[in-house]
Amino acid sequence: MAKNKTAFVCNECGQDFPRWQGQCSACKEWNTITEVRLGSVKAARNSQFSGYAGEGASEVQTLNEIDLNELPRIPSSFTEFDRVLGGGIVPGSAILIGGHPGAGKSTLLLQTLCQLAESMPALYVTGEESLQQVAMRANRLGLPTDKLRMLSETSVERICDIAVKEKPKLIVVDSIQVMHMADVTSSPGSVSQVRESASYLTRFAKQQGIAVIMVGHVTKDGSLAGPKVLEHCIDCSVMFEGDSDSRYRTLRSHKNRFGAINELGVFAMTERGLKEVANPSAIFLSRGEGEASGSLVMVVWEGTRPLLVELQVLVDNSSMSHPRRVAVGMDANRLAMLLAVMHRHGGLQMSDQDVFVNVVGGVKVTETSADLTLLMAMVSSFRSNVLPNDLVVFGEVGLSGEIRPVPNGQERLVEAAKHGFKRAIVPKANAPKRPPEGMEVIGVNKLSEALASL
Ligand code: TYD
Ligand code: MG
C-alpha cells in the first residue's frame, strides 16, 4: 500500500514546512501550522478524470509554437463581476470567491449561472444547501431555471467524473469547505481537505478547459481553512465583502492571473437578489442635507476607476489618560502617523483629544491619497469649522509635511467635477494646467499651505 505523505502547512499563508513549529516563519503567525495528509496517487488513478490526464501527456514546446488563439472570455452577465475578473471568466480557469457567511456568494453565483445557462452548459454543485432550497431561491428571484444543471454532491472525485460526462463550460462548487476527497483522511473543512480538493479541482479545470468557480467561507476564528491557503493554486481570488446589516456589497480581486487586481465591483442586496450598482460614487456620497464639520469628500482610485467617498472625523476632548484613536475603514497606524505630522508641521496638538475616523458606506480605503483629506477633516472637526459642501480633497502627506502627488490626478478631478464638485485641493503636481470645466483647483506643496487655503 502506498505510504501517505504528510506535510505541515500554515493556515494563514499556506507555507509548507518539513516539521511542526509554533510560529510560521513566513507570515509570523502563531499556532497556525497543522499537519496535512497528502493523498496517495492510487485513489486519484481510480477517478475517470485522471485517466484523461494520463492521455494528454505533456510535451516540451518552444514559446512561439504555443497556440495563441485565446478562447473568448465568458461574460458572467454582471458587468461589475466581469470587470473584477478582468473582462469575464477565462475558460479553464479556477476562481475562488471568498467571503463571510451570509455575504451573498451563493446568491451571486446562482444569479450568474441561471443567466449563463441560457447560452452555454453550466453545472451548479451545491454541498451546503439542498437542491430544493436552491430551486426555491431561484424561483423566488424569478431566474430562468430551465437550462441550469444542478448536482448535490460533496465528493470531489464524483463531481469531476460527472462533469466529464455532462461537459459543462462552467462549474460552481458551493462551497469548497464541505468538499472532501476519499483519499485524504481528515474531516471536510480541514486545511488538508480544502487544499487537496481545491488543487484537484484546479487541475481538473486546466485539463478539461472547464472554468471552475469555488466558494470559500472565511471565519474569524479560523476553524475552517480560510481561502488564504488556496491562493497559491487558483488563478483568481475575489472577495465578496459587506456587513450583513448594510445593503451594499463589494467584490474585489486579490489575485488575478488574467487582469488587474484591486478592481472593485459594487452590488446592492435587495429582496430580489443582487443588483449591480453602476455608479457607486453616487451611493457612497449620498450626504445628508446641511453641512457639518469634520466631513469631507475624497477621490480614491479603485482598480481602474475613481470613486468618491465621504470621510468623517470626530475630534473630541478625551476624558482618558490615553485618548482613543479609532479608524473604521482606514489603517489605524496611518492615523497615528498623520496625527504626528499634524503636530509637527501643522502646529495642532491633539494629544488630549479622542479622534474617530469613519469612511462612510463601509468602504475600505487603503490608498495614501486619503492622507490630506483626513488631516483637513480633522482640522475641520477640531475647530468646529464647517467645510464647503462642494470641496473635494486628495493627496499623500509625507513625514516632513510635504504634499506628494498621487497617480491619476486628472481622472480623479474629472470624476469629482462630474458629480458637481466646484473646488478641489490637491497636490501641486496633480493640479492640471486647465482644470475641468467649472472647477477651481488649488495645488498645494506643503501641509501649511493646505491648511491656509481653508
Ligand atoms: P447567501 O447567498 O446565502 O450567502 P452566502 O452564500 O455568502 O453565505 O446570502 C444570504 C443573505 O442574503 C441572507 O442573509 C439574506 C440575503 N438575501 C437577501 O437579502 N435577498 C435575497 O433575495 C437573497 C436570496 C438573500
Ligand atoms: Mg452559501
Side-chain angles (χ1 to χ4, degrees):
M1 194 183 143
K3 189 171 167 275
N4 277 345
K5 277 200 193 144
T6 62
F8 292 86
V9 179
C10 170
N11 284 355
E12 284 297 319
C13 66
Q15 182 78 24
D16 282 289
F17 296 95
R19 65 186 66 83
W20 189 85
Q21 56 197 62
Q23 186 189 24
C24 170
S25 43
C27 68
K28 309 283 181 246
E29 287 291 325
W30 288 93
N31 276 338
T32 53
I33 295 174
T34 43
E35 185 171 7
V36 167
R37 200 153 278 139
L38 302 176
S40 69
V41 198
K42 211 169 115 207
R45 262 195 217 121
N46 294 337
S47 164
Q48 204 173 343
F49 141 65
S50 312
Y52 280 73
E55 275 169 29
S58 37
E59 285 170 32
V60 180
Q61 285 175 298
T62 337
L63 187 54
N64 65 3
E65 283 171 4
I66 296 166
D67 188 9
L68 285 182
N69 280 335
E70 208 179 299
L71 290 165
R73 292 191 178 216
I74 308 168
S76 70
S77 80
F78 281 116
T79 46
E80 293 283 303
F81 193 9
D82 284 348
R83 204 196 26 256
V84 172
L85 293 175
I89 301 161
V90 174
S93 65
I95 300 167
L96 176 76
I97 297 202
H100 291 284
K105 304 176 292 296
S106 307
T107 312
L108 175 73
L109 292 175
L110 183 64
Q111 283 180 262
T112 305
L113 244 67
C114 282
Q115 301 291 350
L116 259 184
E118 296 293 296
S119 54
M120 64 178 61
L123 178 65
Y124 190 106
V125 182
T126 167
E128 283 184 356
E129 292 161 284
S130 69
L131 290 176
Q132 206 182 8
Q133 281 172 320
V134 180
M136 269 159 53
R137 182 185 298 187
N139 276 333
R140 196 171 58 75
L141 298 181
L143 296 169
T145 50
D146 52 336
K147 297 273 169 56
L148 181 60
R149 305 282 284 164
M150 298 291 304
L151 171 68
S152 174
E153 181 60 72
T154 54
S155 154
V156 176
E157 288 98 339
R158 273 217 295 285
I159 291 171
C160 291
D161 287 345
I162 291 170
V164 166
K165 284 185 219 120
E166 283 276 329
K167 297 192 174 38
K169 286 265 190 297
L170 180 64
I171 308 177
V172 163
V173 177
D174 187 1
S175 69
I176 192 70
Q177 265 102 12
V178 295
M179 294 299 147
H180 60 84
M181 294 186 59
D183 216 35
V184 185
T185 46
S186 52
S187 63
S190 63
V191 198
S192 40
Q193 282 288 6
V194 169
R195 202 171 102 134
E196 291 305 301
S197 302
S199 63
Y200 193 88
L201 283 167
T202 307
R203 281 199 306 276
F204 174 77
K206 295 269 145 70
Q207 283 167 10
Q208 302 288 305
I210 300 173
V212 176
I213 303 184
M214 294 169 242
V215 173
H217 295 293
V218 212
T219 49
K220 286 215 178 74
D221 61 311
S223 57
L224 291 182
K228 271 272 179 278
V229 292
L230 303 174
E231 275 186 6
H232 300 277
C233 61
I234 49 160
D235 297 311
C236 202
S237 157
V238 295
M239 276 291 183
F240 205 43
E241 290 163 343
D243 306 327
S244 43
D245 46 337
S246 143
R247 245 164 77 82
Y248 297 105
R249 305 281 195 274
T250 54
L251 192 65
R252 193 189 289 272
S253 65
H254 288 252
K255 165 180 177 178
N256 193 350
R257 287 187 175 144
F258 316 108
I261 58 158
N262 284 332
E263 277 287 0
L264 185 79
V266 183
F267 293 86
M269 178 63 94
T270 68
E271 60 294 338
R272 307 269 297 147
L274 285 162
K275 297 235 156 49
E276 11 187 15
V277 177
N279 185 1
S281 287
I283 57 156
F284 294 126
L285 262 192
S286 52
R287 308 167 85 182
E289 286 302 303
E291 302 169 340
S293 65
S295 153
L296 191 55
V297 172
M298 62 187 162
V299 194
V300 291
W301 195 257
E302 285 294 349
T304 53
R305 61 177 177 175
L307 184 67
L308 288 156
V309 196
E310 184 186 345
L311 185 75
Q312 291 184 318
V313 179
L314 181 68
V315 179
D316 192 20
N317 284 335
S318 179
S319 56
M320 287 186 269
S321 52
H322 288 286
R324 298 176 47 133
R325 274 91 179 79
V326 181
V328 180
M330 275 192 128
D331 182 17
N333 291 328
R334 193 105 198 146
L335 171 62
M337 189 189 97
L338 290 171
L339 278 165
V341 173
M342 184 62 134
H343 181 212
R344 286 293 300 270
H345 303 286
L348 272 189
Q349 171 74 282
M350 295 201 196
S351 57
D352 55 348
Q353 305 281 323
D354 286 333
V355 179
F356 302 93
V357 178
N358 180 35
V359 185
V360 176
V363 189
K364 281 200 183 60
V365 176
T366 49
E367 242 196 345
T368 53
S369 71
D371 293 355
L372 187 58
T373 326
L374 179 61
L375 286 184
M376 298 191 71
M378 211 162 1
V379 175
S380 152
S381 173
F382 186 56
R383 296 190 172 148
S384 301
N385 186 351
V386 176
L387 293 170
N389 232 341
D390 57 0
L391 172 71
V392 53
V393 177
F394 60 83
E396 179 175 338
V397 177
L399 286 185
S400 54
E402 81 279 19
I403 311 295
R404 296 168 173 270
V406 295
N408 311 94
Q410 179 76 27
E411 289 89 338
R412 294 185 205 231
L413 286 171
V414 170
E415 175 79 4
K418 219 164 55 186
H419 283 86
F421 287 86
K422 301 269 187 297
R423 276 174 274 189
I425 300 178
V426 303
K428 188 134 231 159
N430 281 129
K433 284 203 189 72
R434 225 184 302 139
E437 191 84 9
M439 187 180 233
E440 184 198 343
V441 178
I442 305 168
V444 289
N445 265 330
K446 291 215 137 320
L447 181 59
S448 47
E449 287 172 39
L451 296 179
S453 65
L454 285 178

